Amino acid sequence: MVPALQALGETVQVAALGLKANAIERVGGKWVGAADPRSEGVAIAEDGIVTKIQRVGALQRAPE
């Protein structure tokens, strides 16, 4: 994927992020990522805004 992004003129830095990135797309001139809604974690935008993602099923389960 790195060579393909570089061919599009993007600057690419490869690093371990410690997250699951399921998909990315180009929207309004920026890269936007999407994750599996069944996973917990965070989404971090290019401008540094962090959105906490809570697994949907976790809210509906009875206590164990």
Side-chain angles (χ1 to χ4, degrees):
M1 178 182 254
V2 171
L5 291 171
Q6 289 172 330
L8 293 171
E10 295 297 325
T11 301
V12 180
Q13 181 179 354
V14 178
L17 296 177
L19 56 85
K20 299 178 204 175
N22 297 93
I24 59 171
E25 68 176 322
R26 192 79 169 165
V27 177
K30 293 185 177 185
W31 289 106
V32 177
D36 184 338
R38 296 170 292 181
S39 298
E40 294 181 357
V42 297
I44 305 172
E46 284 183 287
D47 59 8
I49 295 174
V50 177
T51 302
K52 184 175 182 193
I53 301 167
Q54 185 173 18
R55 192 169 60 163
V56 175
L59 297 175
Q60 300 169 352
R61 273 194 251 168
E64 295 180 19

